[in-house]
Amino acid sequence: MELVIVDTGCANIASVRFAIERLGSPVRVSDDPEVIKNADKVILPGVGSAPAAMQKIEAKGLIPLVRTLTQPTLGICLGMQLMTRQSEEGHVACLGMIASEVKRMQVGSLRLPHMGWNTITPNPNSPLFDGIAEGSYFYFVHSFAVSVGDYTLATCEYGMPFSASIGQDNFMGVQFHPERSGEAGSRLLSNFISRC
Amino acid sequence: MGAKLMLARRIIPCLDVKDGKVVKGVQFRNHEIVGDIVPLAEQYAQAGADELVFYDITASSDARVVDKSWVSRIAEVINIPFCVAGGIKSVEDAGKVLEMGADKVSINSPALADPSLITKLHDQFGQQCVVIGIDSYFDQSSNTYQVKQFTGDEKRTLTTGWQTADWVKEVQQHGAGEIVLNCMNQDGVRQGYDIAQLAAIRACCQVPLIASGGAGTMEHFKAVFEQSDVDGALAASVFHKGIIAIPELKQYLRDQGIPIRD
């Protein structure tokens, strides 16, 4: 199986690659459209701001390709947010594979970014969360989020309920960082590789 | 269940790094070698540390290019977030460390020299990557908390013109994503965190705040979470010397009703 991480030019690519390699799976990091197109599975990583990341993907000429991928594709953190229609961060149009939108979190007196370990409630039918119990901790770092809706695969709560994971068709994404979420995160990546 | 639906408080071992080895000194002096970085990092991740901080303590004060290849070796083996501090003076320096797999960079002396560096890092990498380390010293004669610079080298350590609370506000305006407040009077002496100072800083800190300096017992962690409302507690010697075992500490805090990752 050929697993490819899209080289978005964002900073967490190394950590995602190392996490996949720790599972014993070979993985390539590439921004070559042919390589990405022919992959069995694709990971779209991302940290930083939505407008900067969209600019980088656009500069690499990858927007039409990523939009039309048909294989299982996993967005991580900002990578997940980029899969939605739009983000309030910089009011930018995103890739639009998942019919949701990203808004700044409204958390009252709580601190932003939402940074640290928080518990999730997964949809028990989602293969991505196979074997991951309700109340499992994952590592989050973000100030923007997708509200809970039709495409939610897991929820989390921080001042407000929000989507810890969303999915539509072959596209799925997680707001947290599975590559930095200990055993639970490894299980999620392993589920993506073997069950999705 | 109520307690579980909350962001967990973080337990953060800090590994001071000098020439590629983990070291620890008392009140920033007399560094002794504790061990190799990678096996220690792995050991802490397996023991349940929520995050790790690596401070390259020689870097800022030596004004030399420091070999950071160990960052990549750590990223390969651990599955929890980690932050690298020390010697990061530019957007380029930060980019290299983040590309090697660090999740955050922590800036201390260079931010004092040029606060606009915080903004540049924020704009380039996002707020979540930008941690500001602050060395705060309580000066009894003036009854004020002063920010110190270049604390990695005693001979070069300076007292800046900043009072700590003012600098905390300033760095937030520039885009800091998290603040690690090291209370220097407490560092390495294990008499407890500076609860009063941390609580005062908490009141003017809208980003995550990490307590540093003074941990000696499990009760000190309970006190700093309950009384200073910090997001995380950083400690070094109590972990390195085996005075507190992380699994026991986390169980103790859970028993006390503090949300802690299991």
Side-chain angles (χ1 to χ4, degrees), chain B residues 34-53:
Chain B
V34 177
D36 288 325
I37 301 177
V38 172
L40 270 170
E42 228 174 345
Q43 194 183 311
Y44 282 123
Q46 283 167 4
D50 296 308
E51 187 170 329
L52 296 173
V53 173

PDB file of all heavy atoms in Angstrom, chain B residues 34-53:
ATOM      1  N   VAL B  34      22.708  14.640  33.674  1.00  0.00           N
ATOM      2  CA  VAL B  34      21.686  13.704  34.152  1.00  0.00           C
ATOM      3  C   VAL B  34      21.620  12.475  33.247  1.00  0.00           C
ATOM      4  O   VAL B  34      21.408  11.366  33.720  1.00  0.00           O
ATOM      5  CB  VAL B  34      20.305  14.407  34.206  1.00  0.00           C
ATOM      6  CG1 VAL B  34      19.219  13.425  34.626  1.00  0.00           C
ATOM      7  CG2 VAL B  34      20.337  15.591  35.164  1.00  0.00           C
ATOM      8  N   GLY B  35      21.792  12.667  31.938  1.00  0.00           N
ATOM      9  CA  GLY B  35      21.742  11.513  31.034  1.00  0.00           C
ATOM     10  C   GLY B  35      21.580  11.910  29.583  1.00  0.00           C
ATOM     11  O   GLY B  35      21.578  13.091  29.252  1.00  0.00           O
ATOM     12  N   ASP B  36      21.424  10.891  28.705  1.00  0.00           N
ATOM     13  CA  ASP B  36      21.238  11.138  27.278  1.00  0.00           C
ATOM     14  C   ASP B  36      19.807  11.566  26.993  1.00  0.00           C
ATOM     15  O   ASP B  36      18.871  11.114  27.650  1.00  0.00           O
ATOM     16  CB  ASP B  36      21.567   9.873  26.478  1.00  0.00           C
ATOM     17  CG  ASP B  36      23.067   9.612  26.476  1.00  0.00           C
ATOM     18  OD1 ASP B  36      23.826  10.594  26.460  1.00  0.00           O
ATOM     19  OD2 ASP B  36      23.450   8.432  26.510  1.00  0.00           O
ATOM     20  N   ILE B  37      19.652  12.409  25.978  1.00  0.00           N
ATOM     21  CA  ILE B  37      18.346  13.015  25.720  1.00  0.00           C
ATOM     22  C   ILE B  37      17.298  12.003  25.267  1.00  0.00           C
ATOM     23  O   ILE B  37      16.209  11.937  25.831  1.00  0.00           O
ATOM     24  CB  ILE B  37      18.451  14.092  24.624  1.00  0.00           C
ATOM     25  CG1 ILE B  37      19.425  15.186  25.049  1.00  0.00           C
ATOM     26  CG2 ILE B  37      17.097  14.707  24.357  1.00  0.00           C
ATOM     27  CD1 ILE B  37      19.615  16.232  23.983  1.00  0.00           C
ATOM     28  N   VAL B  38      17.624  11.226  24.229  1.00  0.00           N
ATOM     29  CA  VAL B  38      16.580  10.414  23.602  1.00  0.00           C
ATOM     30  C   VAL B  38      15.994   9.357  24.546  1.00  0.00           C
ATOM     31  O   VAL B  38      14.768   9.281  24.693  1.00  0.00           O
ATOM     32  CB  VAL B  38      17.075   9.824  22.265  1.00  0.00           C
ATOM     33  CG1 VAL B  38      16.082   8.827  21.692  1.00  0.00           C
ATOM     34  CG2 VAL B  38      17.319  10.963  21.266  1.00  0.00           C
ATOM     35  N   PRO B  39      16.835   8.558  25.235  1.00  0.00           N
ATOM     36  CA  PRO B  39      16.234   7.580  26.161  1.00  0.00           C
ATOM     37  C   PRO B  39      15.444   8.241  27.294  1.00  0.00           C
ATOM     38  O   PRO B  39      14.394   7.729  27.690  1.00  0.00           O
ATOM     39  CB  PRO B  39      17.426   6.797  26.723  1.00  0.00           C
ATOM     40  CG  PRO B  39      18.650   7.391  26.164  1.00  0.00           C
ATOM     41  CD  PRO B  39      18.290   8.382  25.105  1.00  0.00           C
ATOM     42  N   LEU B  40      15.914   9.396  27.775  1.00  0.00           N
ATOM     43  CA  LEU B  40      15.159  10.089  28.826  1.00  0.00           C
ATOM     44  C   LEU B  40      13.812  10.574  28.304  1.00  0.00           C
ATOM     45  O   LEU B  40      12.789  10.456  28.978  1.00  0.00           O
ATOM     46  CB  LEU B  40      15.966  11.279  29.359  1.00  0.00           C
ATOM     47  CG  LEU B  40      16.896  10.981  30.528  1.00  0.00           C
ATOM     48  CD1 LEU B  40      17.819  12.174  30.787  1.00  0.00           C
ATOM     49  CD2 LEU B  40      16.107  10.677  31.795  1.00  0.00           C
ATOM     50  N   ALA B  41      13.817  11.112  27.090  1.00  0.00           N
ATOM     51  CA  ALA B  41      12.563  11.591  26.491  1.00  0.00           C
ATOM     52  C   ALA B  41      11.574  10.435  26.355  1.00  0.00           C
ATOM     53  O   ALA B  41      10.394  10.558  26.710  1.00  0.00           O
ATOM     54  CB  ALA B  41      12.845  12.213  25.123  1.00  0.00           C
ATOM     55  N   GLU B  42      12.064   9.322  25.867  1.00  0.00           N
ATOM     56  CA  GLU B  42      11.224   8.143  25.675  1.00  0.00           C
ATOM     57  C   GLU B  42      10.651   7.657  27.001  1.00  0.00           C
ATOM     58  O   GLU B  42       9.474   7.341  27.122  1.00  0.00           O
ATOM     59  CB  GLU B  42      12.101   7.037  25.079  1.00  0.00           C
ATOM     60  CG  GLU B  42      11.485   6.359  23.910  1.00  0.00           C
ATOM     61  CD  GLU B  42      12.444   5.379  23.265  1.00  0.00           C
ATOM     62  OE1 GLU B  42      13.674   5.425  23.534  1.00  0.00           O
ATOM     63  OE2 GLU B  42      11.961   4.553  22.486  1.00  0.00           O
ATOM     64  N   GLN B  43      11.529   7.632  27.994  1.00  0.00           N
ATOM     65  CA  GLN B  43      11.136   7.174  29.331  1.00  0.00           C
ATOM     66  C   GLN B  43      10.026   8.057  29.909  1.00  0.00           C
ATOM     67  O   GLN B  43       9.042   7.565  30.450  1.00  0.00           O
ATOM     68  CB  GLN B  43      12.387   7.273  30.197  1.00  0.00           C
ATOM     69  CG  GLN B  43      12.366   6.582  31.515  1.00  0.00           C
ATOM     70  CD  GLN B  43      13.697   6.889  32.239  1.00  0.00           C
ATOM     71  OE1 GLN B  43      14.791   6.749  31.671  1.00  0.00           O
ATOM     72  NE2 GLN B  43      13.602   7.353  33.465  1.00  0.00           N
ATOM     73  N   TYR B  44      10.168   9.371  29.762  1.00  0.00           N
ATOM     74  CA  TYR B  44       9.143  10.284  30.288  1.00  0.00           C
ATOM     75  C   TYR B  44       7.824  10.152  29.527  1.00  0.00           C
ATOM     76  O   TYR B  44       6.752  10.213  30.124  1.00  0.00           O
ATOM     77  CB  TYR B  44       9.637  11.730  30.255  1.00  0.00           C
ATOM     78  CG  TYR B  44      10.581  12.051  31.388  1.00  0.00           C
ATOM     79  CD1 TYR B  44      11.861  12.542  31.161  1.00  0.00           C
ATOM     80  CD2 TYR B  44      10.176  11.860  32.707  1.00  0.00           C
ATOM     81  CE1 TYR B  44      12.722  12.834  32.209  1.00  0.00           C
ATOM     82  CE2 TYR B  44      11.025  12.148  33.759  1.00  0.00           C
ATOM     83  CZ  TYR B  44      12.295  12.627  33.510  1.00  0.00           C
ATOM     84  OH  TYR B  44      13.129  12.907  34.548  1.00  0.00           O
ATOM     85  N   ALA B  45       7.910   9.980  28.217  1.00  0.00           N
ATOM     86  CA  ALA B  45       6.673   9.829  27.428  1.00  0.00           C
ATOM     87  C   ALA B  45       5.939   8.567  27.875  1.00  0.00           C
ATOM     88  O   ALA B  45       4.726   8.577  28.073  1.00  0.00           O
ATOM     89  CB  ALA B  45       7.003   9.773  25.942  1.00  0.00           C
ATOM     90  N   GLN B  46       6.684   7.493  28.079  1.00  0.00           N
ATOM     91  CA  GLN B  46       6.053   6.233  28.496  1.00  0.00           C
ATOM     92  C   GLN B  46       5.493   6.313  29.911  1.00  0.00           C
ATOM     93  O   GLN B  46       4.511   5.657  30.236  1.00  0.00           O
ATOM     94  CB  GLN B  46       7.057   5.080  28.386  1.00  0.00           C
ATOM     95  CG  GLN B  46       7.229   4.638  26.942  1.00  0.00           C
ATOM     96  CD  GLN B  46       8.431   3.730  26.736  1.00  0.00           C
ATOM     97  OE1 GLN B  46       9.110   3.362  27.690  1.00  0.00           O
ATOM     98  NE2 GLN B  46       8.686   3.389  25.487  1.00  0.00           N
ATOM     99  N   ALA B  47       6.116   7.137  30.751  1.00  0.00           N
ATOM    100  CA  ALA B  47       5.657   7.257  32.143  1.00  0.00           C
ATOM    101  C   ALA B  47       4.388   8.097  32.260  1.00  0.00           C
ATOM    102  O   ALA B  47       3.787   8.159  33.329  1.00  0.00           O
ATOM    103  CB  ALA B  47       6.766   7.857  33.001  1.00  0.00           C
ATOM    104  N   GLY B  48       3.985   8.751  31.156  1.00  0.00           N
ATOM    105  CA  GLY B  48       2.747   9.519  31.195  1.00  0.00           C
ATOM    106  C   GLY B  48       2.907  11.022  31.209  1.00  0.00           C
ATOM    107  O   GLY B  48       1.940  11.753  31.447  1.00  0.00           O
ATOM    108  N   ALA B  49       4.118  11.517  30.937  1.00  0.00           N
ATOM    109  CA  ALA B  49       4.289  12.963  30.790  1.00  0.00           C
ATOM    110  C   ALA B  49       3.348  13.440  29.693  1.00  0.00           C
ATOM    111  O   ALA B  49       3.129  12.749  28.705  1.00  0.00           O
ATOM    112  CB  ALA B  49       5.734  13.280  30.414  1.00  0.00           C
ATOM    113  N   ASP B  50       2.767  14.629  29.888  1.00  0.00           N
ATOM    114  CA  ASP B  50       1.816  15.140  28.902  1.00  0.00           C
ATOM    115  C   ASP B  50       2.512  15.925  27.806  1.00  0.00           C
ATOM    116  O   ASP B  50       1.947  16.157  26.740  1.00  0.00           O
ATOM    117  CB  ASP B  50       0.794  16.031  29.610  1.00  0.00           C
ATOM    118  CG  ASP B  50      -0.027  15.224  30.594  1.00  0.00           C
ATOM    119  OD1 ASP B  50      -0.571  14.186  30.184  1.00  0.00           O
ATOM    120  OD2 ASP B  50      -0.104  15.618  31.772  1.00  0.00           O
ATOM    121  N   GLU B  51       3.716  16.330  28.071  1.00  0.00           N
ATOM    122  CA  GLU B  51       4.460  17.173  27.151  1.00  0.00           C
ATOM    123  C   GLU B  51       5.882  17.250  27.687  1.00  0.00           C
ATOM    124  O   GLU B  51       6.106  17.028  28.881  1.00  0.00           O
ATOM    125  CB  GLU B  51       3.803  18.564  27.167  1.00  0.00           C
ATOM    126  CG  GLU B  51       4.312  19.543  26.174  1.00  0.00           C
ATOM    127  CD  GLU B  51       3.420  20.784  26.115  1.00  0.00           C
ATOM    128  OE1 GLU B  51       2.197  20.682  26.352  1.00  0.00           O
ATOM    129  OE2 GLU B  51       3.965  21.851  25.830  1.00  0.00           O
ATOM    130  N   LEU B  52       6.835  17.548  26.809  1.00  0.00           N
ATOM    131  CA  LEU B  52       8.212  17.715  27.266  1.00  0.00           C
ATOM    132  C   LEU B  52       8.743  19.057  26.776  1.00  0.00           C
ATOM    133  O   LEU B  52       8.373  19.525  25.700  1.00  0.00           O
ATOM    134  CB  LEU B  52       9.110  16.591  26.730  1.00  0.00           C
ATOM    135  CG  LEU B  52       8.789  15.165  27.195  1.00  0.00           C
ATOM    136  CD1 LEU B  52       9.648  14.153  26.435  1.00  0.00           C
ATOM    137  CD2 LEU B  52       9.006  15.020  28.700  1.00  0.00           C
ATOM    138  N   VAL B  53       9.599  19.634  27.595  1.00  0.00           N
ATOM    139  CA  VAL B  53      10.294  20.855  27.171  1.00  0.00           C
ATOM    140  C   VAL B  53      11.792  20.575  27.212  1.00  0.00           C
ATOM    141  O   VAL B  53      12.303  20.028  28.202  1.00  0.00           O
ATOM    142  CB  VAL B  53       9.964  22.043  28.096  1.00  0.00           C
ATOM    143  CG1 VAL B  53      10.831  23.253  27.735  1.00  0.00           C
ATOM    144  CG2 VAL B  53       8.497  22.416  27.994  1.00  0.00           C
TER     145      VAL B  53
END
